[in-house]
PDB file of all heavy atoms in Angstrom:
ATOM      1  N   SER A  25     111.639  96.401  94.695  1.00 97.00           N
ATOM      2  CA  SER A  25     112.227  96.250  93.361  1.00 97.00           C
ATOM      3  C   SER A  25     111.245  96.710  92.286  1.00 97.00           C
ATOM      4  O   SER A  25     111.616  97.442  91.353  1.00 97.00           O
ATOM      5  CB  SER A  25     112.621  94.787  93.116  1.00 97.00           C
ATOM      6  OG  SER A  25     113.071  94.610  91.786  1.00 97.00           O
ATOM      7  N   LEU A  27     108.675  98.752  92.752  1.00 97.00           N
ATOM      8  CA  LEU A  27     108.506 100.203  92.928  1.00 97.00           C
ATOM      9  C   LEU A  27     109.641 100.961  92.261  1.00 97.00           C
ATOM     10  O   LEU A  27     109.411 101.946  91.547  1.00 97.00           O
ATOM     11  CB  LEU A  27     108.459 100.533  94.420  1.00 97.00           C
ATOM     12  CG  LEU A  27     108.501 102.026  94.777  1.00 97.00           C
ATOM     13  CD1 LEU A  27     107.244 102.732  94.301  1.00 97.00           C
ATOM     14  CD2 LEU A  27     108.699 102.215  96.281  1.00 97.00           C
ATOM     15  N   ASN A  28     110.853 100.515  92.483  1.00 97.00           N
ATOM     16  CA  ASN A  28     112.016 101.216  91.922  1.00 97.00           C
ATOM     17  C   ASN A  28     112.031 101.168  90.392  1.00 97.00           C
ATOM     18  O   ASN A  28     112.482 102.124  89.743  1.00 97.00           O
ATOM     19  CB  ASN A  28     113.304 100.631  92.493  1.00 97.00           C
ATOM     20  CG  ASN A  28     113.586 101.137  93.895  1.00 97.00           C
ATOM     21  OD1 ASN A  28     113.099 102.191  94.298  1.00 97.00           O
ATOM     22  ND2 ASN A  28     114.373 100.387  94.657  1.00 97.00           N
ATOM     23  N   GLU A  54      98.945 103.419  98.274  1.00 92.00           N
ATOM     24  CA  GLU A  54      99.554 104.280  99.285  1.00 92.00           C
ATOM     25  C   GLU A  54     101.076 104.229  99.205  1.00 92.00           C
ATOM     26  O   GLU A  54     101.757 105.235  99.440  1.00 92.00           O
ATOM     27  CB  GLU A  54      99.080 103.895 100.676  1.00 92.00           C
ATOM     28  CG  GLU A  54      99.528 104.841 101.775  1.00 92.00           C
ATOM     29  CD  GLU A  54      99.063 106.272 101.585  1.00 92.00           C
ATOM     30  OE1 GLU A  54      98.046 106.499 100.897  1.00 92.00           O
ATOM     31  OE2 GLU A  54      99.720 107.182 102.133  1.00 92.00           O
ATOM     32  N   HIS A  65     108.089 114.355  94.020  1.00 94.00           N
ATOM     33  CA  HIS A  65     107.248 114.373  92.827  1.00 94.00           C
ATOM     34  C   HIS A  65     105.843 113.874  93.177  1.00 94.00           C
ATOM     35  O   HIS A  65     105.444 112.771  92.785  1.00 94.00           O
ATOM     36  CB  HIS A  65     107.842 113.470  91.732  1.00 94.00           C
ATOM     37  CG  HIS A  65     109.201 113.870  91.285  1.00 94.00           C
ATOM     38  ND1 HIS A  65     109.424 114.783  90.284  1.00 94.00           N
ATOM     39  CD2 HIS A  65     110.432 113.484  91.716  1.00 94.00           C
ATOM     40  CE1 HIS A  65     110.725 114.942  90.106  1.00 94.00           C
ATOM     41  NE2 HIS A  65     111.356 114.172  90.957  1.00 94.00           N
ATOM     42  N   LEU A  75      99.987 104.292  86.928  1.00 97.00           N
ATOM     43  CA  LEU A  75     101.205 103.923  87.646  1.00 97.00           C
ATOM     44  C   LEU A  75     100.954 102.743  88.575  1.00 97.00           C
ATOM     45  O   LEU A  75     101.819 101.869  88.726  1.00 97.00           O
ATOM     46  CB  LEU A  75     101.745 105.109  88.431  1.00 97.00           C
ATOM     47  CG  LEU A  75     102.417 106.197  87.586  1.00 97.00           C
ATOM     48  CD1 LEU A  75     102.764 107.401  88.453  1.00 97.00           C
ATOM     49  CD2 LEU A  75     103.673 105.657  86.904  1.00 97.00           C
ATOM     50  N   PRO A  93     108.954  82.958 103.469  1.00 98.00           N
ATOM     51  CA  PRO A  93     108.359  83.002 104.808  1.00 98.00           C
ATOM     52  C   PRO A  93     109.440  83.316 105.830  1.00 98.00           C
ATOM     53  O   PRO A  93     110.603  82.933 105.662  1.00 98.00           O
ATOM     54  CB  PRO A  93     107.822  81.577 105.012  1.00 98.00           C
ATOM     55  CG  PRO A  93     107.708  80.997 103.647  1.00 98.00           C
ATOM     56  CD  PRO A  93     108.802  81.627 102.836  1.00 98.00           C
ATOM     57  N   VAL A  98     106.854  78.227 109.375  1.00 98.00           N
ATOM     58  CA  VAL A  98     106.226  76.964 108.966  1.00 98.00           C
ATOM     59  C   VAL A  98     106.182  75.973 110.124  1.00 98.00           C
ATOM     60  O   VAL A  98     105.159  75.314 110.359  1.00 98.00           O
ATOM     61  CB  VAL A  98     106.960  76.366 107.754  1.00 98.00           C
ATOM     62  CG1 VAL A  98     106.445  74.964 107.440  1.00 98.00           C
ATOM     63  CG2 VAL A  98     106.791  77.279 106.534  1.00 98.00           C
ATOM     64  N   GLU A  99     107.262  75.904 110.871  1.00 98.00           N
ATOM     65  CA  GLU A  99     107.301  74.995 112.017  1.00 98.00           C
ATOM     66  C   GLU A  99     106.268  75.391 113.069  1.00 98.00           C
ATOM     67  O   GLU A  99     105.606  74.528 113.677  1.00 98.00           O
ATOM     68  CB  GLU A  99     108.697  74.990 112.629  1.00 98.00           C
ATOM     69  CG  GLU A  99     109.787  74.389 111.740  1.00 98.00           C
ATOM     70  CD  GLU A  99     110.306  75.335 110.678  1.00 98.00           C
ATOM     71  OE1 GLU A  99     109.857  76.521 110.639  1.00 98.00           O
ATOM     72  OE2 GLU A  99     111.158  74.915 109.876  1.00 98.00           O
ATOM     73  N   CYS A 114      94.758  88.261 106.342  1.00 98.00           N
ATOM     74  CA  CYS A 114      93.992  89.510 106.308  1.00 98.00           C
ATOM     75  C   CYS A 114      94.983  90.617 105.951  1.00 98.00           C
ATOM     76  O   CYS A 114      95.726  91.095 106.816  1.00 98.00           O
ATOM     77  CB  CYS A 114      93.346  89.749 107.668  1.00 98.00           C
ATOM     78  SG  CYS A 114      92.314  91.224 107.780  1.00 98.00           S
ATOM     79  N   GLU A 127     100.291  80.924  97.082  1.00 98.00           N
ATOM     80  CA  GLU A 127     100.369  79.716  96.248  1.00 98.00           C
ATOM     81  C   GLU A 127     101.806  79.441  95.822  1.00 98.00           C
ATOM     82  O   GLU A 127     102.292  78.302  95.900  1.00 98.00           O
ATOM     83  CB  GLU A 127      99.483  79.888  95.017  1.00 98.00           C
ATOM     84  CG  GLU A 127      99.517  78.707  94.058  1.00 98.00           C
ATOM     85  CD  GLU A 127      98.706  78.947  92.802  1.00 98.00           C
ATOM     86  OE1 GLU A 127      98.050  80.006  92.694  1.00 98.00           O
ATOM     87  OE2 GLU A 127      98.749  78.080  91.915  1.00 98.00           O
ATOM     88  N   ASN A 138      91.708  84.171 102.524  1.00 98.00           N
ATOM     89  CA  ASN A 138      92.804  85.055 102.131  1.00 98.00           C
ATOM     90  C   ASN A 138      92.173  86.272 101.464  1.00 98.00           C
ATOM     91  O   ASN A 138      91.813  86.234 100.289  1.00 98.00           O
ATOM     92  CB  ASN A 138      93.754  84.333 101.173  1.00 98.00           C
ATOM     93  CG  ASN A 138      95.004  85.135 100.854  1.00 98.00           C
ATOM     94  OD1 ASN A 138      95.037  86.354 101.019  1.00 98.00           O
ATOM     95  ND2 ASN A 138      96.033  84.455 100.381  1.00 98.00           N
ATOM     96  N   HIS A 153      87.052  94.078 107.785  1.00 98.00           N
ATOM     97  CA  HIS A 153      87.996  93.316 106.954  1.00 98.00           C
ATOM     98  C   HIS A 153      88.330  91.994 107.642  1.00 98.00           C
ATOM     99  O   HIS A 153      88.265  90.916 107.037  1.00 98.00           O
ATOM    100  CB  HIS A 153      89.251  94.156 106.723  1.00 98.00           C
ATOM    101  CG  HIS A 153      90.182  93.591 105.696  1.00 98.00           C
ATOM    102  ND1 HIS A 153      91.177  94.341 105.120  1.00 98.00           N
ATOM    103  CD2 HIS A 153      90.306  92.358 105.135  1.00 98.00           C
ATOM    104  CE1 HIS A 153      91.848  93.607 104.253  1.00 98.00           C
ATOM    105  NE2 HIS A 153      91.342  92.385 104.261  1.00 98.00           N
ATOM    106  N   LEU A 154      88.673  92.075 108.921  1.00 98.00           N
ATOM    107  CA  LEU A 154      88.972  90.863 109.686  1.00 98.00           C
ATOM    108  C   LEU A 154      87.728  89.997 109.829  1.00 98.00           C
ATOM    109  O   LEU A 154      87.793  88.770 109.666  1.00 98.00           O
ATOM    110  CB  LEU A 154      89.508  91.249 111.062  1.00 98.00           C
ATOM    111  CG  LEU A 154      89.775  90.095 112.043  1.00 98.00           C
ATOM    112  CD1 LEU A 154      90.779  89.103 111.468  1.00 98.00           C
ATOM    113  CD2 LEU A 154      90.261  90.644 113.385  1.00 98.00           C
ATOM    114  N   GLN A 155      86.594  90.613 110.094  1.00 98.00           N
ATOM    115  CA  GLN A 155      85.357  89.844 110.272  1.00 98.00           C
ATOM    116  C   GLN A 155      85.008  89.069 109.012  1.00 98.00           C
ATOM    117  O   GLN A 155      84.513  87.927 109.084  1.00 98.00           O
ATOM    118  CB  GLN A 155      84.210  90.779 110.641  1.00 98.00           C
ATOM    119  CG  GLN A 155      82.903  90.071 110.959  1.00 98.00           C
ATOM    120  CD  GLN A 155      82.972  89.230 112.214  1.00 98.00           C
ATOM    121  OE1 GLN A 155      83.226  89.755 113.301  1.00 98.00           O
ATOM    122  NE2 GLN A 155      82.755  87.922 112.083  1.00 98.00           N
ATOM    123  N   ALA A 184      88.249  95.303 116.319  1.00 98.00           N
ATOM    124  CA  ALA A 184      87.479  94.055 116.308  1.00 98.00           C
ATOM    125  C   ALA A 184      87.325  93.466 117.705  1.00 98.00           C
ATOM    126  O   ALA A 184      86.603  92.478 117.882  1.00 98.00           O
ATOM    127  CB  ALA A 184      88.161  93.039 115.393  1.00 98.00           C
ATOM    128  N   VAL A 219     100.896  82.672 121.450  1.00 98.00           N
ATOM    129  CA  VAL A 219      99.485  82.325 121.237  1.00 98.00           C
ATOM    130  C   VAL A 219      98.880  81.776 122.525  1.00 98.00           C
ATOM    131  O   VAL A 219      97.787  82.168 122.939  1.00 98.00           O
ATOM    132  CB  VAL A 219      99.347  81.297 120.089  1.00 98.00           C
ATOM    133  CG1 VAL A 219      97.922  80.747 120.024  1.00 98.00           C
ATOM    134  CG2 VAL A 219      99.733  81.933 118.753  1.00 98.00           C
TER     135      VAL A 219
END
Side-chain angles (χ1 to χ4, degrees):
S25 174
L27 171 67
N28 282 337
E54 187 59 24
H65 300 272
L75 286 173
V98 172
E99 293 80 3
C114 182
E127 178 184 356
N138 187 340
H153 190 164
L154 176 59
Q155 185 66 61
V219 170

